[in-house]
């Protein structure tokens, strides 16, 4: 009895159990529950927590923004997170396979794949730029400290004076970082050395999105390094990535803490933190603030990307994903708040030295990560050390998300094809997707690459995610049926979803998602980059990218209806919406109650001939799977939960 209780809590990590073995020998499982939690934290906690949330917070009323932010977390973030985790875990399938719940809506899964593809392409380019800055920080003097470089313009004015005034020794340089006055503060237009380094040296940015220019070879090399790292970490699927996240998901918190401690000891840091947190309660009445809060929660948690469903599909069937969803969601939001202290303590220090308001040095997105914050770091003694730590943190935050994006695509492909060969050779699929992602990312390393990166960031994963999430809620709650899904969750967890989550899934969360969509449409403004205004044809491409994921839903729905049996459209529609006979727990031993084979046989007479054959085939596969598990249990097992499957044709990837 005690062993069963521990098994439900620890996802197979039972005290006293000598060997952990996979429950699902065909697909594999996480080594233990900690691996799943850390992977999900790494997935949810990304670059946006550092470069977007602090900016949104100070722009929308400081501490007052926390109120709508946490309300949206409770009523939308955690319920949606729990819904996706339970969805993937129950079926043990990726973002395509789970739509056996209602085959007509499989287009939602394809939409998730399209979104993950877009994000995976440009996200790794951001990581590769962080790699580049990391390598460039391995020097005695950061290259964006002064204005005496070949790429600088006459408008350049640094915060630590001119390098020509120094004798070049490291001692004098580090001393001058604090004592030098800002020379160009009275200029009409100031360009910082970090901004010119970013625009004229790193990017060598062109004047138009259509003017690609040349490929920036250093960035291309870093992109290759980034994709190699991602591939090597996923070479054995969740078996290898589950071990890597012990470092990639935890070390960013070590770096954040180091930077936080260093930041709050600086002059002016308190002013920056006050600017970040001082509540402006009148802004709580502004609908835009609530819209920003809801959008940030939604996008930050990674809902509707397909990653949550994929990661949960490798859980053991009775894992307590309810508790996991609360832990991961709260950790994600707490990280955002914590990162705000790290960012604004340094920016407050910089504003103090420049004798300007914090608002003039605050920024978000790439502007914060590669311009504002690196410039602030030049003011610190031993600035290369802090720069190395900062960019290493960005790399790890990005990789945690990128792992799940790649695994989402690979899992969807492997589950969809489902042959023994492709399961045995999952590494080949992973390598193929990584190579394709690298090739598709090459245009983003050109001189016009930053324009395309921002275009993809603003359009590829914006309102399309909201639509996908809303349709997913409607399908599960109203097409499949909320009572059916509540019973599924109870069968999996041993208890039904709490009443609060039932209400949120059926009513509150869909309403909030709809509000986010309306807010996104109302607040829409054509994208710009600094003073550059995007031409109309590029915006058309942006909308095409956004629609390419959404259009999958009606196109596949119509296709499924046309292929469904029935004399009338209504009969075809009804059949296309019905759950597939194979919907339910993946393993034979978990198919109890209404999923039991006997229960299925009772209702088989009322099903079309095609479904009868599929049902019989499913029962045969279940028997084969049971025999395969019995054979595998006789093989030598390793201490990590991996098995030495010399005779097993289907080793887990």
């Amino acid at each position: 009895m005690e062993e069963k209780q521990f098994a439900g809590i620890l996802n197979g990590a039972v005290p006293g159990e000598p060997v952990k073995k996979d429950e699902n020998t065909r697909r594999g499982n996480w080594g233990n529950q900690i691996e799943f939690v850390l992977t999900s934290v790494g997935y949810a906690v990304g670059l946006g927590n550092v470069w977007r949330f602090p900016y949104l917070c100070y722009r929308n009323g400081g501490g007052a923004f926390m109120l709508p932010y946490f309300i949206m977390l409770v009523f939308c973030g955690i319920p949606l997170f729990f819904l996706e985790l339970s969805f993937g875990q129950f079926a043990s399938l990726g973002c395509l396979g789970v739509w056996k719940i209602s085959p007509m809506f499989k287009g939602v899964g394809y939409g998730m794949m399209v979104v993950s593809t877009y994000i995976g392409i440009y996200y790794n380019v951001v990581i590769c730029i962080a790699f580049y800055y990391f390598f460039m920080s391995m020097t005695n003097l950061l290259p964006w400290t002064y204005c005496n470089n070949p790429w600088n313009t006459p408008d350049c004015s640094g915060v630590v004076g001119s390098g020509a005034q120094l004798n070049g020794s490291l001692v004098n340089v580090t001393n001058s970082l604090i004592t030098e006055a800002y020379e160009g503060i009275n200029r009409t237009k100031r360009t910082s050395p970090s901004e010119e380094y970013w625009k004229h040296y790193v990017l060598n940015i062109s004047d138009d999105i259509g003017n690609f220019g040349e490929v920036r070879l250093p960035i291309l090399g870093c992109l290759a390094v980034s994709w190699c790292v991602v591939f090597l970490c996923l070479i054995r699927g969740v078996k290898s990535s589950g071990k890597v996240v012990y470092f990639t998901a935890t070390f960013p918190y070590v770096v954040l803490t180091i930077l936080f401690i260093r930041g709050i000891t600086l002059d002016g840091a308190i002013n920056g933190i006050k600017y970040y947190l001082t509540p402006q309660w009148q802004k709580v009445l502004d609908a835009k603030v609530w819209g920003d809060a809801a959008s940030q929660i939604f996008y930050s948690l990674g809902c509707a990307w397909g990653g949550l469903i994929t990661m949960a599909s490798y859980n053991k069937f009775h894992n307590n994903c309810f508790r996991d969803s609360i832990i991961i969601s709260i950790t994600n939001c707490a990280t955002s708040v914590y990162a705000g202290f790290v960012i604004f303590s340094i920016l407050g220090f910089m504003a103090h030295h420049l004798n300007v308001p914090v608002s003039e040095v605050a920024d978000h997105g790439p502007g914060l990560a590669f311009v504002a914050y690196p410039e602030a770091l030049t003011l610190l003694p031993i600035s290369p050390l802090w720069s190395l730590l900062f960019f290493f943190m960005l790399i790890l935050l990005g990789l945690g998300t990128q792992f799940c994006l790649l695994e989402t695509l690979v899992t969807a492909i492997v589950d969809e094809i489902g042959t023994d060969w492709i399961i045995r050779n999952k590494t080949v699929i992973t390598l193929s997707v990584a190579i394709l992602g690298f090739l598709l990312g090459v245009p983003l390393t050109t001189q016009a690459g930053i324009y395309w990166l921002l275009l993809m960031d603003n359009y590829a994963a914006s309102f399309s995610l909201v639509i996908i999430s809303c349709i997913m809620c409607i399908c599960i709650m109203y097409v499949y049926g909320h009572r059916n899904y509540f019973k599924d969750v109870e069968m999996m967890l041993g208890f039904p979803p709490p009443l609060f989550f039932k209400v949120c899934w059926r009513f509150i969360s869909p309403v909030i998602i709809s509000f986010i969509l309306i807010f996104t449409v109302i607040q829409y403004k054509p994208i710009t980059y600094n003073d550059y205004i995007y031409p109309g044809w590029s915006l058309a491409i942006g909308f095409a990218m956004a629609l390419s994921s959404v259009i999958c839903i009606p196109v596949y729905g119509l296709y499924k209806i046309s292929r469904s049996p029935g004399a009338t459209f209504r009969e075809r529609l009804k059949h296309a919406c019905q759950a597939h006979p194979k919907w339910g727990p993946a393993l034979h031993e978990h198919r109890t109650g209404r999923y039991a084979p006997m229960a299925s046989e009772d209702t088989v007479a009322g099903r079309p001939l095609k479904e009868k054959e599929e049902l019989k085939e499913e029962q045969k596969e279940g028997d084969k799977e049971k025999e395969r598990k019995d054979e595998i249990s006789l093989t030598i097992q390793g201490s990590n939960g991996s098995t030495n499957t010399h005779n097993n044709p289907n080793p887990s990837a």
Side-chain angles (χ1 to χ4, degrees):
M1 180 65 72
E2 290 180 2
E3 188 172 302
K4 286 184 179 179
Q5 290 174 346
F6 279 115
I9 294 174
L10 296 178
N11 191 21
V14 182
E17 185 181 22
V19 174
K20 303 180 199 131
K21 65 179 181 178
D22 288 342
E23 184 179 73
N24 190 329
T25 54
R26 186 175 174 83
R27 291 181 87 247
N29 295 108
W30 297 106
N32 55 59
Q33 185 225 354
I34 295 175
E35 290 182 9
F36 166 67
V37 171
L38 289 178
T39 300
S40 300
V41 167
Y43 172 65
V45 177
L47 298 174
N49 297 70
V50 173
W51 74 18
R52 179 165 169 79
F53 174 81
Y55 175 82
L56 281 180
C57 192
Y58 98 79
R59 192 183 73 179
N60 287 306
F65 181 70
M66 302 292 184
L67 177 64
Y69 183 72
F70 283 106
I71 288 176
M72 290 299 175
L73 169 66
V74 171
F75 287 96
C76 183
I78 296 177
L80 287 177
F81 207 90
F82 180 31
L83 179 66
E84 291 201 29
L85 291 190
S86 59
F87 193 24
Q89 181 174 307
F90 182 77
S92 297
L93 291 168
C95 65
L96 280 184
V98 289
W99 294 102
K100 288 183 174 69
I101 193 173
S102 184
M104 192 184 85
F105 289 88
K106 191 175 182 178
V108 175
Y110 284 110
M112 290 177 172
M113 284 188 68
V114 172
V115 168
S116 290
T117 300
Y118 286 139
I119 298 174
I121 291 169
Y122 79 78
Y123 209 82
N124 226 15
V125 175
V126 178
I127 297 171
C128 87
I129 296 174
F131 264 114
Y132 181 78
Y133 270 80
F134 177 76
F135 295 142
M136 291 299 101
S137 299
M138 296 178 180
T139 178
N140 290 335
L141 181 67
L142 295 176
W144 56 85
T145 304
Y146 299 114
C147 291
N148 58 347
N149 301 291
W151 59 82
N152 291 127
T153 67
D155 289 331
C156 179
S157 182
V159 294
V160 292
S162 170
Q165 297 170 349
L166 304 174
N167 65 10
S169 71
L170 179 60
V171 175
N172 286 340
V173 169
T174 53
N175 287 338
S176 70
L177 294 179
I178 304 300
T179 58
E180 288 282 345
Y182 171 48
E183 294 179 345
I185 194 169
N186 294 322
R187 291 193 183 190
T188 305
K189 181 181 178 182
R190 169 187 174 262
T191 306
S192 66
S194 62
E195 183 178 354
E196 294 202 345
Y197 180 77
W198 163 247
K199 290 174 65 174
H200 302 317
Y201 185 75
V202 178
L203 302 178
N204 193 13
I205 191 169
S206 65
D207 58 355
D208 185 72
I209 188 172
N211 182 13
F212 284 91
E214 62 181 10
V215 172
R216 303 291 296 143
L217 293 179
I219 303 299
L220 182 65
C222 289
L223 182 63
V225 169
S226 184
W227 274 110
C228 285
V229 170
V230 173
F231 167 70
L232 291 174
C233 291
L234 286 172
I235 195 166
R236 293 185 60 239
V238 296
K239 291 298 181 187
S240 54
S241 66
K243 304 298 181 288
V244 173
V245 293
Y246 280 107
F247 178 73
T248 60
T250 56
F251 195 72
Y253 291 96
V254 176
V255 178
L256 276 174
T257 302
I258 293 171
L259 292 175
F260 173 69
I261 294 172
R262 182 68 188 105
I264 59 174
T265 60
L266 299 170
D267 294 336
I270 299 301
N271 294 333
I273 293 174
K274 283 181 180 177
Y275 195 81
Y276 167 53
L277 288 180
T278 301
Q280 302 171 39
W281 293 109
Q282 70 276 10
K283 288 198 173 185
V284 174
L285 302 176
D286 187 353
K288 185 177 185 305
V289 173
W290 289 84
D292 279 342
S295 299
Q296 177 63 14
I297 283 289
F298 183 83
Y299 295 123
S300 175
L301 289 174
C303 298
W305 292 16
L308 298 178
I309 294 173
T310 302
M311 295 303 105
S313 73
Y314 291 102
N315 278 334
K316 294 188 177 180
F317 185 72
H318 293 296
N319 172 61
N320 189 347
C321 60
F322 169 66
R323 180 208 47 223
D324 294 343
S325 63
I326 294 175
I327 292 173
I328 297 163
S329 300
I330 292 177
T331 301
N332 172 70
C333 295
T335 304
S336 296
V337 176
Y338 187 36
F341 285 94
V342 175
I343 297 299
F344 274 91
S345 60
I346 298 289
L347 293 182
F349 165 67
M350 181 178 174
H352 174 76
H353 272 268
L354 296 180
N355 195 26
V356 297
V358 178
S359 59
E360 290 193 17
V361 297
D363 203 348
H364 69 290
L368 171 67
F370 302 118
V371 178
Y373 204 83
E375 182 182 20
L377 293 176
T378 62
L379 292 164
L380 298 175
I382 327 176
S383 55
L385 171 63
W386 310 114
S387 183
L388 282 169
L389 285 173
F390 176 69
F391 288 111
F392 189 52
M393 177 187 71
L394 290 187
I395 290 168
L396 294 182
L397 288 175
L399 287 176
T401 303
Q402 190 69 19
F403 291 159
C404 295
L405 289 169
L406 183 58
E407 185 63 39
T408 296
L409 297 173
V410 172
T411 297
I413 294 169
V414 171
D415 284 349
E416 186 67 10
I417 299 174
T419 63
D420 289 345
W421 183 90
I422 203 167
I423 291 174
R424 286 197 306 270
N425 295 277
K426 185 178 176 182
T427 302
V428 176
I429 305 301
T430 305
L431 178 61
S432 302
V433 175
I435 292 174
L436 184 61
F438 169 74
L439 295 176
L440 292 173
V442 170
L444 302 184
T445 64
T446 62
Q447 291 176 264
I450 189 66
Y451 298 123
W452 290 99
L453 190 151
L454 293 174
L455 186 73
M456 294 180 73
D457 186 40
N458 279 268
Y459 289 92
S462 55
F463 68 85
S464 54
L465 284 176
V466 184
I467 295 173
I468 288 171
S469 185
C470 190
I471 293 176
M472 183 180 69
C473 283
I474 292 170
C475 173
I476 296 174
M477 290 296 109
Y478 296 100
V479 178
Y480 177 65
H482 62 276
R483 289 186 180 88
N484 288 333
Y485 194 72
F486 296 160
K487 289 177 182 176
D488 291 344
V489 173
E490 182 174 7
M491 185 174 90
M492 179 173 64
L493 300 182
F495 57 87
L499 178 61
F500 172 77
F501 286 86
K502 292 180 179 180
V503 174
C504 284
W505 286 346
R506 293 186 63 195
F507 307 111
I508 299 176
S509 295
V511 169
I512 293 177
I513 295 171
S514 301
F515 165 70
I516 296 173
L517 179 60
I518 295 170
F519 170 78
T520 304
V521 173
I522 293 175
Q523 292 291 321
Y524 170 76
K525 292 179 182 177
I527 182 178
T528 60
Y529 178 57
N530 295 333
D531 297 328
Y532 177 76
I533 299 174
Y534 280 68
W537 63 267
S538 65
L539 299 180
I541 292 176
F543 279 110
M545 285 192 291
L547 291 173
S548 63
S549 56
V550 177
I551 201 70
C552 295
I553 302 172
V555 168
Y556 188 87
L558 292 172
Y559 164 77
K560 190 64 183 177
I561 291 171
S562 68
R563 298 295 299 270
S564 297
T568 65
F569 177 81
R570 185 174 180 180
E571 289 178 0
R572 289 171 177 266
L573 177 63
K574 183 178 179 181
H575 186 270
C577 290
Q578 285 179 345
H580 192 279
K582 291 186 179 181
W583 163 251
L587 300 184
H588 190 68
E589 59 263 35
H590 295 144
R591 297 184 74 88
T592 59
R594 61 199 177 96
Y595 294 104
M598 291 302 295
S600 299
E601 288 171 7
D602 292 339
T603 60
V604 77
R607 293 186 182 273
L609 179 61
K610 185 179 178 182
E611 290 196 12
K612 291 180 186 179
E613 294 173 355
E614 288 178 342
L615 198 58
K616 290 176 182 177
E617 187 66 27
E618 174 197 3
Q619 292 170 9
K620 290 179 183 177
E621 287 181 5
D623 294 337
K624 289 180 181 178
E625 179 69 24
K626 191 173 182 181
E627 291 174 7
R628 190 182 294 115
K629 285 195 69 176
D630 292 339
E631 291 175 7
I632 290 172
S633 65
L634 299 175
T635 60
I636 301 171
Q637 298 178 349
S639 59
N640 271 347
S642 59
T643 56
N644 236 342
T645 53
H646 297 295
N647 300 316
N648 177 26
N650 301 315
S652 59

